[in-house]
Amino acid sequence: MNKKGRLVIISAPSGAGKGTVIREITRLRPEIKYSVSATTRAPRPGEVHGEHYFFVSPEEFDAMVERGEFLEHETYVGNSYGTPRGPIERNIADGIDTILEIEVKGARQVRGKIPDVISIFLAAPNEEELRRRLIGRGTSEDTELVKRLETAREELAASEEYAFTVVNDDATRAAREIIAILDFNREDYL
Ligand code: 5GP
């Protein structure tokens, strides 16, 4: 029997260190795929088109929306972000588990469309650490930093909507906890 791939939403406030955790998950479990989103945000140093995001113009993004190419799309701190539908549908059909790293409003949309999605909230250990990580990144303007911190506080309040909350005190430990959640939520355990 061909098992369907599962969708795993991971949401985290900006600065919770989700990039490192997700890299750890795919390093430990290379068979798990990461859904590459489209965004109108400018690339940060080191970000690669097609690997971290598909970096598109606002016009291109709108055209993708028009063509119905997104499973969900949202605005976050002034930029558009969207999850391409095609690769996800192929992965589900091919039995490949896929991680969607998206913010809380997009997560709500996906839960509404795909009820058996596994949703995980990744939290920073505390606000001081969150602030330190956001400042440490050093790429955001002051006003953007303030907006990201405000948004992060709002997002923390949304953590109750998620089936699981994992604290990112250590990236490898948090990655292992998420893998354990996925392993114990396989259909063959039920
Ligand atoms: P960043 O600009 O820091 O890479 O991402 C900002 C926020 O947008 C993060 O919370 C990230 O998880 C979220 N995000 C990234 N891709 C998508 C997407 O395709 N859809 C939605 N709704 N959020 C996304």
Side-chain angles (χ1 to χ4, degrees), residues 9 11 103-109 111 117-121 154-165:
I9 294 178
S11 295
E103 50 68 69
V104 297
K105 292 176 287 157
R108 278 183 203 130
Q109 287 190 45
R111 264 192 233 104
V117 64
I118 297 174
S119 67
I120 301 173
F121 191 87
E154 284 165 23
E155 284 179 331
L156 201 55
S159 64
E160 287 173 14
E161 298 171 23
Y162 290 72
F164 303 95
T165 295

Side-chain angles (χ1 to χ4, degrees), residues 12 18 37 41 44 53 72 74 76 81-83 101-103 106 148:
K18 58 186 176 296
S37 297
R41 159 166 93 55
R44 293 189 189 119
Y53 281 106
E72 61 74 40
E74 277 294 345
Y76 182 92
Y81 295 82
T83 304
E101 186 251 280
I102 61 178
E103 50 68 69
R148 278 181 180 264

Side-chain angles (χ1 to χ4, degrees), residues 104-176:
V104 297
K105 292 176 287 157
R108 278 183 203 130
Q109 287 190 45
V110 175
R111 264 192 233 104
K113 288 178 188 164
I114 304 171
D116 57 356
V117 64
I118 297 174
S119 67
I120 301 173
F121 191 87
L122 186 68
N126 54 56
E127 186 162 325
E128 265 324 292
E129 178 63 16
L130 187 68
R131 184 187 295 273
R132 204 182 58 76
R133 288 183 193 172
L134 276 175
I135 292 170
R137 186 183 278 162
T139 52
S140 303
E141 300 293 331
D142 278 358
T143 48
E144 196 191 321
L145 179 68
V146 170
K147 264 193 247 149
R148 278 181 180 264
L149 267 174
E150 260 169 34
T151 310
R153 276 193 210 112
E154 284 165 23
E155 284 179 331
L156 201 55
S159 64
E160 287 173 14
E161 298 171 23
Y162 290 72
F164 303 95
T165 295
V166 171
V167 175
N168 182 18
D169 43 6
D170 172 88
T172 303
R173 195 210 59 77
R176 288 189 191 283

